[in-house]
Amino acid sequence: MFQNELISPTVQMSEKPQPRRKTKKPPRFLCVCLNPTIQKTIVFDKIEPGEVNRTSNWRIDAAGKGIIPTRILTQLGEKAIHLTQLGGPTRSWFLAMCAADGISVEWVESGAPIRFCTTLIEEAEGRITELVEESLPVASETSDDLVERFADLVNQADAVLLSGTIADGIVQGTMARFARIAWDIGAHLYLDIKKQDLLDCLKYHPVCAKPNLEELAQTLGLPYAEVRKEHSARKLVEEQGKRFFDEYGTYLVVTRGAESTLYWDGQRLCEYPVQPITVRNPIGSGDAFGAGLARILERHGSIHEAVAEGTRLGGLNATQLRPGTLFS
């Protein structure tokens, strides 16, 4: 049953023990995303539909749900490697942008050109529009090549972050293959994925799953409109959070944009407020949140401390024009 009374994240309580690294050495992260992106961010005062709109305020960055947590963790001084698939004429450009950011990237040849996504920012309107290109099909051997490379890299990692969607042509179940390998060697698993990929990975006992509310609804086959209202959202996160933790030992953390984050701490439903900020570009804030979650939990912090840090990093990212960064 839904509990109307939520606890503050500052309340101390006993938590169901989660596996922790025994070493006190800094954690090593392997961030995996199979749908790389080159992100173009264009700023206008206002866009006039049907007209020619010009601006000199634009930028291009290596991005995507794997690059961003890798960049965030790197900026925080952590050791992080990104694994992805790459192909096409912009591959060298993508890798050069990553190298300029100090991001360590491992990749397999997929033969598929890297997709572009575009963020349109209208400052006078306070409106942000995201244009997303779907990926082109990868070569048939790409999935097996990725799993083989992952099996080599995961031995150097304490924690694995699986993020985003899979590119067209990636075999369904590839994310679960990664999760199985990570589980077998004892690496901790963190999920920022959705739908069947999320469900398939749960049996490998991830430490934390972090969908947003819409992604959680999609994963469970529920209409998003039915769970958006406050009472319905809390009831859903409470029910699923208890199930995730009791069955898999997994924390469920559900972000909701500018609304408070809901999560199950092992005993009850909790929420953490999102502080008002001046948003410049929210793209990548969820990925920054996920990086903060994993970082604190891997450094032996509580789930409450981890959610607080994720919220802080997500907010910092949203104040920057560049997607997926903590500073200019």
Side-chain angles (χ1 to χ4, degrees):
M1 297 295 291
F2 172 66
Q3 295 176 327
N4 291 318
E5 182 179 359
L6 301 183
I7 69 160
S8 164
T10 60
V11 174
Q12 300 297 314
M13 64 189 66
S14 61
E15 297 175 357
K16 183 177 180 179
Q18 293 292 295
R20 289 287 190 265
R21 297 179 306 113
K22 295 181 180 179
T23 177
K24 293 184 179 180
K25 293 181 179 179
R28 300 164 299 175
F29 297 90
L30 175 57
C31 304
V32 182
C33 179
L34 306 184
N35 212 353
T37 302
I38 295 175
Q39 191 85 24
K40 189 165 189 177
T41 305
I42 314 177
V43 182
F44 299 90
D45 180 56
K46 182 181 179 180
I47 295 175
E48 296 292 343
E51 302 294 335
V52 174
N53 292 268
R54 298 180 184 273
T55 181
S56 59
N57 190 359
W58 56 272
R59 62 174 301 123
I60 296 177
D61 298 281
K65 293 184 72 64
I67 284 292
I68 288 175
T70 310
R71 182 188 289 124
I72 295 293
L73 288 166
T74 300
Q75 289 180 345
L76 292 168
E78 302 290 357
K79 184 174 182 180
I81 298 174
H82 176 52
L83 173 63
T84 191
Q85 53 83 14
L86 299 173
T90 58
R91 181 182 59 214
S92 295
W93 183 29
F94 180 92
L95 290 170
M97 287 189 285
C98 291
D101 286 342
I103 300 174
S104 178
V105 179
E106 295 284 340
W107 57 278
V108 303
E109 175 61 55
S110 66
I114 303 167
R115 63 182 181 151
F116 282 79
C117 292
T118 304
T119 306
L120 304 177
I121 299 176
E122 298 175 77
E123 293 186 321
E125 302 292 321
R127 182 164 54 205
I128 300 171
T129 302
E130 184 71 2
L131 308 177
V132 177
E133 296 181 8
E134 298 293 355
S135 62
L136 295 174
V138 301
S140 59
E141 66 272 15
T142 303
S143 300
D144 287 341
D145 290 347
L146 282 162
V147 171
E148 182 177 354
R149 184 66 62 86
F150 178 88
D152 290 336
L153 292 171
V154 75
N155 290 300
Q156 308 169 33
D158 301 296
V160 173
L161 281 67
L162 301 182
S163 303
T165 57
I166 59 175
D168 188 15
I170 297 289
V171 175
Q172 183 63 48
T174 299
M175 285 290 193
R177 292 174 71 186
F178 295 147
R180 170 65 183 270
I181 295 169
W183 169 255
D184 284 345
I185 71 162
H188 293 165
L189 189 60
Y190 295 83
L191 304 180
D192 191 1
I193 53 181
K194 63 181 180 179
K195 296 184 177 179
Q196 196 61 44
D197 281 331
L198 173 54
L199 297 175
D200 288 345
C201 288
L202 285 175
K203 61 185 174 184
Y204 300 113
H205 304 281
V207 176
C208 186
K210 190 214 70 66
N212 62 37
L213 183 60
E214 183 174 10
E215 290 167 341
L216 180 61
Q218 291 173 349
T219 298
L220 300 173
L222 301 173
Y224 181 43
E226 292 184 6
V227 300
R228 293 185 67 177
K229 292 184 179 180
E230 191 70 14
H231 176 82
S232 298
R234 293 185 178 190
K235 183 175 186 293
L236 176 67
V237 176
E238 180 179 44
E239 291 174 348
Q240 295 304 315
K242 186 177 188 304
R243 181 174 74 86
F244 277 35
F245 196 83
D246 290 349
E247 294 183 18
Y248 308 108
T250 300
Y251 293 120
L252 177 63
V253 178
V254 180
T255 55
R256 299 186 294 162
E259 297 182 51
S260 62
T261 296
L262 301 175
Y263 63 102
W264 182 262
D265 75 342
Q267 293 185 340
R268 64 193 75 186
L269 184 67
C270 306
E271 67 177 336
Y272 195 90
V274 176
Q275 298 299 322
I277 58 172
T278 300
V279 174
R280 194 167 190 199
N281 183 3
I283 301 302
S285 288
D287 308 316
F289 189 112
L293 270 178
R295 180 175 186 253
I296 294 302
L297 289 172
E298 285 302 298
R299 286 182 171 271
H300 314 294
S302 71
I303 185 61
H304 307 302
E305 293 167 326
V307 170
E309 177 68 353
T311 303
R312 183 182 76 88
L313 297 184
L316 282 175
N317 174 80
T319 64
Q320 308 296 320
L321 177 61
R322 184 185 192 189
T325 190
L326 302 179
F327 44 78
S328 302

mmCIF file of all heavy atoms in Angstrom, residues 204-230:
data_model
loop_
_atom_site.group_PDB
_atom_site.id
_atom_site.type_symbol
_atom_site.label_atom_id
_atom_site.label_comp_id
_atom_site.label_asym_id
_atom_site.label_seq_id
_atom_site.Cartn_x
_atom_site.Cartn_y
_atom_site.Cartn_z
ATOM 1 N N TYR A 204 20.795 -9.910 -12.690
ATOM 2 C CA TYR A 204 22.213 -9.855 -12.347
ATOM 3 C C TYR A 204 22.479 -8.869 -11.206
ATOM 4 O O TYR A 204 23.595 -8.425 -11.008
ATOM 5 C CB TYR A 204 23.027 -9.529 -13.595
ATOM 6 C CG TYR A 204 22.818 -10.575 -14.659
ATOM 7 C CD1 TYR A 204 22.160 -10.261 -15.840
ATOM 8 C CD2 TYR A 204 23.211 -11.888 -14.455
ATOM 9 C CE1 TYR A 204 21.922 -11.231 -16.813
ATOM 10 C CE2 TYR A 204 22.968 -12.873 -15.408
ATOM 11 C CZ TYR A 204 22.321 -12.531 -16.586
ATOM 12 O OH TYR A 204 22.079 -13.507 -17.525
ATOM 13 N N HIS A 205 21.428 -8.530 -10.491
ATOM 14 C CA HIS A 205 21.491 -7.825 -9.219
ATOM 15 C C HIS A 205 22.275 -6.510 -9.279
ATOM 16 O O HIS A 205 23.270 -6.320 -8.568
ATOM 17 C CB HIS A 205 22.080 -8.740 -8.135
ATOM 18 C CG HIS A 205 21.342 -10.029 -7.985
ATOM 19 N ND1 HIS A 205 20.153 -10.124 -7.288
ATOM 20 C CD2 HIS A 205 21.600 -11.271 -8.469
ATOM 21 C CE1 HIS A 205 19.720 -11.379 -7.337
ATOM 22 N NE2 HIS A 205 20.575 -12.094 -8.051
ATOM 23 N N PRO A 206 21.829 -5.585 -10.129
ATOM 24 C CA PRO A 206 22.494 -4.276 -10.146
ATOM 25 C C PRO A 206 22.370 -3.575 -8.802
ATOM 26 O O PRO A 206 21.396 -3.790 -8.062
ATOM 27 C CB PRO A 206 21.732 -3.512 -11.235
ATOM 28 C CG PRO A 206 20.411 -4.216 -11.351
ATOM 29 C CD PRO A 206 20.693 -5.652 -11.051
ATOM 30 N N VAL A 207 23.339 -2.743 -8.479
ATOM 31 C CA VAL A 207 23.272 -1.957 -7.249
ATOM 32 C C VAL A 207 22.134 -0.956 -7.338
ATOM 33 O O VAL A 207 21.393 -0.740 -6.376
ATOM 34 C CB VAL A 207 24.609 -1.231 -6.990
ATOM 35 C CG1 VAL A 207 24.509 -0.326 -5.755
ATOM 36 C CG2 VAL A 207 25.743 -2.239 -6.815
ATOM 37 N N CYS A 208 21.981 -0.332 -8.522
ATOM 38 C CA CYS A 208 20.991 0.738 -8.654
ATOM 39 C C CYS A 208 20.479 0.787 -10.088
ATOM 40 O O CYS A 208 21.238 0.567 -11.033
ATOM 41 C CB CYS A 208 21.644 2.078 -8.277
ATOM 42 S SG CYS A 208 20.494 3.470 -8.224
ATOM 43 N N ALA A 209 19.180 1.068 -10.233
ATOM 44 C CA ALA A 209 18.571 1.343 -11.529
ATOM 45 C C ALA A 209 17.987 2.747 -11.475
ATOM 46 O O ALA A 209 17.283 3.082 -10.519
ATOM 47 C CB ALA A 209 17.483 0.326 -11.850
ATOM 48 N N LYS A 210 18.288 3.571 -12.499
ATOM 49 C CA LYS A 210 17.886 4.968 -12.471
ATOM 50 C C LYS A 210 17.140 5.370 -13.762
ATOM 51 O O LYS A 210 17.651 6.138 -14.588
ATOM 52 C CB LYS A 210 19.115 5.874 -12.296
ATOM 53 C CG LYS A 210 18.771 7.339 -12.012
ATOM 54 C CD LYS A 210 19.779 8.292 -12.615
ATOM 55 C CE LYS A 210 19.754 8.384 -14.095
ATOM 56 N NZ LYS A 210 18.517 8.966 -14.666
ATOM 57 N N PRO A 211 15.932 4.897 -13.943
ATOM 58 C CA PRO A 211 15.131 5.434 -15.040
ATOM 59 C C PRO A 211 14.469 6.736 -14.614
ATOM 60 O O PRO A 211 14.330 7.017 -13.418
ATOM 61 C CB PRO A 211 14.074 4.343 -15.248
ATOM 62 C CG PRO A 211 13.866 3.795 -13.856
ATOM 63 C CD PRO A 211 15.221 3.857 -13.179
ATOM 64 N N ASN A 212 14.077 7.559 -15.587
ATOM 65 C CA ASN A 212 13.157 8.630 -15.224
ATOM 66 C C ASN A 212 11.744 8.057 -15.204
ATOM 67 O O ASN A 212 11.534 6.882 -15.536
ATOM 68 C CB ASN A 212 13.291 9.846 -16.153
ATOM 69 C CG ASN A 212 12.956 9.542 -17.611
ATOM 70 O OD1 ASN A 212 12.038 8.766 -17.917
ATOM 71 N ND2 ASN A 212 13.694 10.147 -18.530
ATOM 72 N N LEU A 213 10.784 8.862 -14.799
ATOM 73 C CA LEU A 213 9.431 8.332 -14.591
ATOM 74 C C LEU A 213 8.838 7.816 -15.896
ATOM 75 O O LEU A 213 8.197 6.756 -15.912
ATOM 76 C CB LEU A 213 8.533 9.415 -13.986
ATOM 77 C CG LEU A 213 7.106 8.978 -13.646
ATOM 78 C CD1 LEU A 213 7.110 7.839 -12.619
ATOM 79 C CD2 LEU A 213 6.288 10.163 -13.126
ATOM 80 N N GLU A 214 9.042 8.528 -16.991
ATOM 81 C CA GLU A 214 8.494 8.082 -18.272
ATOM 82 C C GLU A 214 9.135 6.765 -18.692
ATOM 83 O O GLU A 214 8.454 5.860 -19.186
ATOM 84 C CB GLU A 214 8.718 9.143 -19.341
ATOM 85 C CG GLU A 214 8.098 8.774 -20.685
ATOM 86 C CD GLU A 214 8.183 9.887 -21.702
ATOM 87 O OE1 GLU A 214 8.889 10.886 -21.446
ATOM 88 O OE2 GLU A 214 7.537 9.770 -22.774
ATOM 89 N N GLU A 215 10.447 6.628 -18.489
ATOM 90 C CA GLU A 215 11.135 5.387 -18.847
ATOM 91 C C GLU A 215 10.658 4.216 -17.993
ATOM 92 O O GLU A 215 10.526 3.092 -18.489
ATOM 93 C CB GLU A 215 12.639 5.577 -18.695
ATOM 94 C CG GLU A 215 13.241 6.511 -19.743
ATOM 95 C CD GLU A 215 14.652 6.930 -19.410
ATOM 96 O OE1 GLU A 215 15.061 6.815 -18.235
ATOM 97 O OE2 GLU A 215 15.355 7.399 -20.329
ATOM 98 N N LEU A 216 10.399 4.464 -16.713
ATOM 99 C CA LEU A 216 9.871 3.403 -15.857
ATOM 100 C C LEU A 216 8.506 2.951 -16.343
ATOM 101 O O LEU A 216 8.211 1.750 -16.408
ATOM 102 C CB LEU A 216 9.792 3.882 -14.406
ATOM 103 C CG LEU A 216 9.250 2.858 -13.402
ATOM 104 C CD1 LEU A 216 10.137 1.617 -13.347
ATOM 105 C CD2 LEU A 216 9.119 3.479 -12.006
ATOM 106 N N ALA A 217 7.660 3.915 -16.716
ATOM 107 C CA ALA A 217 6.337 3.564 -17.246
ATOM 108 C C ALA A 217 6.466 2.741 -18.527
ATOM 109 O O ALA A 217 5.768 1.737 -18.706
ATOM 110 C CB ALA A 217 5.525 4.833 -17.497
ATOM 111 N N GLN A 218 7.355 3.152 -19.428
ATOM 112 C CA GLN A 218 7.565 2.409 -20.670
ATOM 113 C C GLN A 218 8.036 0.983 -20.382
ATOM 114 O O GLN A 218 7.599 0.027 -21.022
ATOM 115 C CB GLN A 218 8.597 3.134 -21.529
ATOM 116 C CG GLN A 218 8.122 4.451 -22.106
ATOM 117 C CD GLN A 218 9.240 5.201 -22.814
ATOM 118 O OE1 GLN A 218 10.418 4.855 -22.715
ATOM 119 N NE2 GLN A 218 8.876 6.252 -23.534
ATOM 120 N N THR A 219 8.928 0.847 -19.413
ATOM 121 C CA THR A 219 9.474 -0.468 -19.066
ATOM 122 C C THR A 219 8.385 -1.404 -18.578
ATOM 123 O O THR A 219 8.389 -2.608 -18.880
ATOM 124 C CB THR A 219 10.558 -0.312 -17.984
ATOM 125 O OG1 THR A 219 11.627 0.478 -18.507
ATOM 126 C CG2 THR A 219 11.097 -1.653 -17.527
ATOM 127 N N LEU A 220 7.431 -0.861 -17.842
ATOM 128 C CA LEU A 220 6.366 -1.676 -17.260
ATOM 129 C C LEU A 220 5.130 -1.762 -18.148
ATOM 130 O O LEU A 220 4.136 -2.381 -17.769
ATOM 131 C CB LEU A 220 5.986 -1.105 -15.895
ATOM 132 C CG LEU A 220 7.118 -1.068 -14.867
ATOM 133 C CD1 LEU A 220 6.686 -0.323 -13.613
ATOM 134 C CD2 LEU A 220 7.591 -2.474 -14.515
ATOM 135 N N GLY A 221 5.201 -1.110 -19.314
ATOM 136 C CA GLY A 221 4.074 -1.150 -20.233
ATOM 137 C C GLY A 221 2.884 -0.335 -19.771
ATOM 138 O O GLY A 221 1.738 -0.659 -20.096
ATOM 139 N N LEU A 222 3.143 0.751 -19.037
ATOM 140 C CA LEU A 222 2.076 1.608 -18.514
ATOM 141 C C LEU A 222 2.007 2.915 -19.291
ATOM 142 O O LEU A 222 3.050 3.477 -19.639
ATOM 143 C CB LEU A 222 2.323 1.919 -17.031
ATOM 144 C CG LEU A 222 2.402 0.738 -16.077
ATOM 145 C CD1 LEU A 222 2.822 1.216 -14.692
ATOM 146 C CD2 LEU A 222 1.059 0.014 -16.014
ATOM 147 N N PRO A 223 0.826 3.437 -19.565
ATOM 148 C CA PRO A 223 0.722 4.757 -20.192
ATOM 149 C C PRO A 223 1.305 5.823 -19.263
ATOM 150 O O PRO A 223 0.942 5.894 -18.089
ATOM 151 C CB PRO A 223 -0.788 4.943 -20.382
ATOM 152 C CG PRO A 223 -1.360 3.562 -20.329
ATOM 153 C CD PRO A 223 -0.495 2.793 -19.387
ATOM 154 N N TYR A 224 2.188 6.639 -19.793
ATOM 155 C CA TYR A 224 2.840 7.664 -18.974
ATOM 156 C C TYR A 224 1.823 8.614 -18.358
ATOM 157 O O TYR A 224 1.966 9.048 -17.203
ATOM 158 C CB TYR A 224 3.842 8.427 -19.833
ATOM 159 C CG TYR A 224 4.615 9.503 -19.117
ATOM 160 C CD1 TYR A 224 5.145 9.289 -17.849
ATOM 161 C CD2 TYR A 224 4.840 10.735 -19.728
ATOM 162 C CE1 TYR A 224 5.871 10.271 -17.189
ATOM 163 C CE2 TYR A 224 5.571 11.720 -19.086
ATOM 164 C CZ TYR A 224 6.078 11.491 -17.819
ATOM 165 O OH TYR A 224 6.789 12.471 -17.181
ATOM 166 N N ALA A 225 0.775 8.936 -19.095
ATOM 167 C CA ALA A 225 -0.237 9.863 -18.592
ATOM 168 C C ALA A 225 -0.891 9.353 -17.315
ATOM 169 O O ALA A 225 -1.351 10.146 -16.484
ATOM 170 C CB ALA A 225 -1.304 10.102 -19.663
ATOM 171 N N GLU A 226 -0.918 8.038 -17.134
ATOM 172 C CA GLU A 226 -1.575 7.466 -15.957
ATOM 173 C C GLU A 226 -0.723 7.553 -14.694
ATOM 174 O O GLU A 226 -1.248 7.392 -13.590
ATOM 175 C CB GLU A 226 -1.940 6.001 -16.225
ATOM 176 C CG GLU A 226 -3.038 5.814 -17.264
ATOM 177 C CD GLU A 226 -3.433 4.360 -17.415
ATOM 178 O OE1 GLU A 226 -2.929 3.522 -16.629
ATOM 179 O OE2 GLU A 226 -4.247 4.060 -18.312
ATOM 180 N N VAL A 227 0.569 7.775 -14.836
ATOM 181 C CA VAL A 227 1.447 7.773 -13.655
ATOM 182 C C VAL A 227 2.084 9.135 -13.396
ATOM 183 O O VAL A 227 2.880 9.289 -12.473
ATOM 184 C CB VAL A 227 2.554 6.701 -13.786
ATOM 185 C CG1 VAL A 227 1.945 5.324 -13.924
ATOM 186 C CG2 VAL A 227 3.484 6.997 -14.959
ATOM 187 N N ARG A 228 1.755 10.138 -14.171
ATOM 188 C CA ARG A 228 2.396 11.450 -14.014
ATOM 189 C C ARG A 228 1.927 12.193 -12.772
ATOM 190 O O ARG A 228 2.682 12.973 -12.189
ATOM 191 C CB ARG A 228 2.151 12.319 -15.254
ATOM 192 C CG ARG A 228 2.841 11.815 -16.499
ATOM 193 C CD ARG A 228 2.679 12.767 -17.657
ATOM 194 N NE ARG A 228 3.391 14.032 -17.414
ATOM 195 C CZ ARG A 228 3.455 15.021 -18.284
ATOM 196 N NH1 ARG A 228 2.853 14.906 -19.457
ATOM 197 N NH2 ARG A 228 4.107 16.125 -18.008
ATOM 198 N N LYS A 229 0.673 11.979 -12.374
ATOM 199 C CA LYS A 229 0.171 12.678 -11.194
ATOM 200 C C LYS A 229 0.919 12.226 -9.948
ATOM 201 O O LYS A 229 1.375 11.087 -9.853
ATOM 202 C CB LYS A 229 -1.329 12.438 -11.044
ATOM 203 C CG LYS A 229 -2.154 13.105 -12.140
ATOM 204 C CD LYS A 229 -3.639 12.925 -11.898
ATOM 205 C CE LYS A 229 -4.456 13.622 -12.984
ATOM 206 N NZ LYS A 229 -5.920 13.458 -12.762
ATOM 207 N N GLU A 230 1.035 13.121 -8.993
ATOM 208 C CA GLU A 230 1.900 12.903 -7.836
ATOM 209 C C GLU A 230 1.578 11.610 -7.092
ATOM 210 O O GLU A 230 2.471 10.811 -6.799
ATOM 211 C CB GLU A 230 1.798 14.103 -6.881
ATOM 212 C CG GLU A 230 2.833 14.100 -5.779
ATOM 213 C CD GLU A 230 4.234 14.369 -6.294
ATOM 214 O OE1 GLU A 230 4.398 14.813 -7.442
ATOM 215 O OE2 GLU A 230 5.183 14.124 -5.518
#
